[in-house]
């Protein structure tokens, strides 16, 4: 059983985005903003997938975890949609239009997947995305990226979102395992999903870099190497997100956001 709390938080984005930074810093910031741009399309797709999966789940605890997973994702993408308004407003109208066109292409893909792809494909996509994101979130937490004073574009949305990604890391894997269970299918379609998803991050990132008249560099930092190491472990037939040890500080972050959340 995963211990998942649903925290309704609405962040505000008043601090202007600062692109007047080194190439190395820009190479870290831009893909994060690209990731934010994908969220209002990717996360509703994950929620639609869980909506179809839940009636087929015979384990009541896993079904409840899937409901909470969906509620968490719902709060994530609503906040990212706000940040994305600020991102688009930070660029010239032509670049903002291009960003919106990429969003539309991504939305069209995900609507098509929901309508036309079998559930096993959609849960493999969900797990491929979650395994990759959780690897990145864990490496970022370990590197101190969510510590107080860490400056990320958009502020605390990242610490909250990534801490909850770590919190619900077992759910998509559990749903895939319960409904499909094939290692080869997970690797084949999960990897395809990661390629598909990352191709959109790349499109958003290149569009933003072009809009800024800057070149996009991919910095090789210890944190990026740790992300890759963690990601490669997800390919193991013995991979089980329930066995991942929590980096220090994640529990404190979750407690912080529980205290900040609106309680209904
Ligand atoms: Fe999320
Ligand atoms: Fe997630």
């Amino acid at each position: 059983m995963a211990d998942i709390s649903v925290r309704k938080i609405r962040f505000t984005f008043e601090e202007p985005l600062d692109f007047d930074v080194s190439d190395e810093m820009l190479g870290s910031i831009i893909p994060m903003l690209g990731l934010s741009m994908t969220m209002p399309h990717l996360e509703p797709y994950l929620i639609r997938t869980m909506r179809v999966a839940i009636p087929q789940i015979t384990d009541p605890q896993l079904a409840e975890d899937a409901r909470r997973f969906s509620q968490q994702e719902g709060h994530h993408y609503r906040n990212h949609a706000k940040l994305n308004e600020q991102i688009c407003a930070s660029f010239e109208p032509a670049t903002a239009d291009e960003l919106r066109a990429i969003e539309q292409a991504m939305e069209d893909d995900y609507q098509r997947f929901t309508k036309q792809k079998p559930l096993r494909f959609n849960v493999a996509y969900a797990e491929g995305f979650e395994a990759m994101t959780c690897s990145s979130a864990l490496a970022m937490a370990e590197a101190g990226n969510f510590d107080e004073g860490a400056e990320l574009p958009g502020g605390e949305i990242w610490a909250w979102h990534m801490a909850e990604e770590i919190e619900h890391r077992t759910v998509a894997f559990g749903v895939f395992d319960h409904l499909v269970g094939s290692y080869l299918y997970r690797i084949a379609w999960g990897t395809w999903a990661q390629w598909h998803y990352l191709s959109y991050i790349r499109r958003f990132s290149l569009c933003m870099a072009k809009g800024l008249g800057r070149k996009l560099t991919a910095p090789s930092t210890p944190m990026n190497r740790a992300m890759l190491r963690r990601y490669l472990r997800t390919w193991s037939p013995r991979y089980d997100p329930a066995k991942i040890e929590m980096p220090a500080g994640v529990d404190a972050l979750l407690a912080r956001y529980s205290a900040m959340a609106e309680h209904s």
Side-chain angles (χ1 to χ4, degrees):
M1 172 193 162
D3 195 6
I4 298 168
S5 299
V6 179
R7 303 172 186 84
K8 181 180 177 187
I9 304 182
R10 292 293 178 264
F11 293 93
T12 52
F13 303 98
E14 280 141 18
E15 193 72 18
L17 296 169
D18 182 10
F19 297 115
D20 194 14
V21 293
S22 67
D23 285 351
E24 186 169 327
M25 181 63 88
L26 196 76
S28 301
I29 288 175
I30 291 281
M32 291 187 79
L33 299 181
L35 189 146
S36 182
M37 293 299 293
T38 68
M39 287 297 134
H41 310 286
L42 179 275
E43 291 187 313
Y45 164 55
L46 300 181
I47 295 168
R48 293 194 299 275
T49 297
M50 289 301 170
R51 201 175 294 144
V52 177
I54 287 168
Q56 299 190 27
I57 298 174
T58 53
D59 173 345
Q61 187 56 58
L62 183 60
E64 177 58 21
D65 288 347
R67 275 187 281 274
R68 291 184 183 210
F69 167 98
S70 295
Q71 287 173 294
Q72 284 195 337
E73 301 293 27
H75 292 306
H76 297 166
Y77 84 77
R78 286 181 178 87
N79 278 295
H80 281 281
K82 287 271 166 217
L83 172 56
N84 296 350
E85 283 172 21
Q86 193 198 22
I87 294 171
C88 287
S90 306
F91 288 90
E92 294 295 325
T95 303
D97 287 349
E98 238 181 280
L99 291 171
R100 294 293 183 206
I102 302 168
E103 282 193 85
Q104 191 57 56
M106 190 176 212
E107 180 66 25
D108 292 347
D109 277 2
Y110 287 142
Q111 290 293 346
R112 187 164 47 83
F113 293 168
T114 298
K115 288 189 186 89
Q116 297 179 3
K117 296 285 188 187
L119 180 60
R120 65 178 184 277
F121 170 91
N122 290 323
V123 292
Y125 195 111
E127 167 49 18
F129 170 77
E130 290 286 314
M132 179 175 66
T133 316
C134 184
S135 304
S136 301
L138 290 162
M140 289 177 84
E142 224 167 30
N145 267 37
F146 307 135
D147 294 354
E148 233 183 299
E151 302 233 335
L152 297 176
E156 260 195 286
I157 185 175
W158 296 103
W160 165 71
H161 189 169
M162 292 302 119
E164 290 197 347
E165 290 300 319
I166 294 170
E167 187 179 39
H168 74 216
R169 69 196 176 283
T170 60
V171 180
F173 182 86
V175 171
F176 177 84
D177 204 37
H178 185 73
L179 296 180
V180 187
S182 158
Y183 167 70
L184 287 180
Y185 195 92
R186 173 172 80 81
I187 293 304
W189 288 108
T191 307
W192 184 88
Q194 291 157 359
W195 167 81
H196 173 264
Y197 176 78
L198 290 175
S199 72
Y200 275 99
I201 297 268
R202 190 171 160 73
R203 283 174 69 178
F204 282 122
S205 299
L206 289 173
C207 176
M208 285 186 234
K210 191 178 80 180
L212 294 169
R214 301 276 297 268
K215 259 216 171 82
L216 203 58
T217 54
S220 172
T221 61
M223 186 183 78
N224 289 354
R225 291 193 289 276
M227 277 181 188
L228 183 64
R229 272 196 305 279
R230 283 187 175 274
Y231 165 68
L232 290 174
R233 279 181 222 150
T234 69
W235 285 13
S236 164
R238 287 180 299 281
Y239 170 68
D240 178 354
K243 293 182 187 155
I244 296 173
E245 241 177 76
M246 284 305 87
V250 174
D251 284 342
L253 280 177
L254 291 170
R256 168 177 169 76
Y257 296 117
S258 288
M260 272 172 67
E262 286 175 34
H263 297 284
S264 47

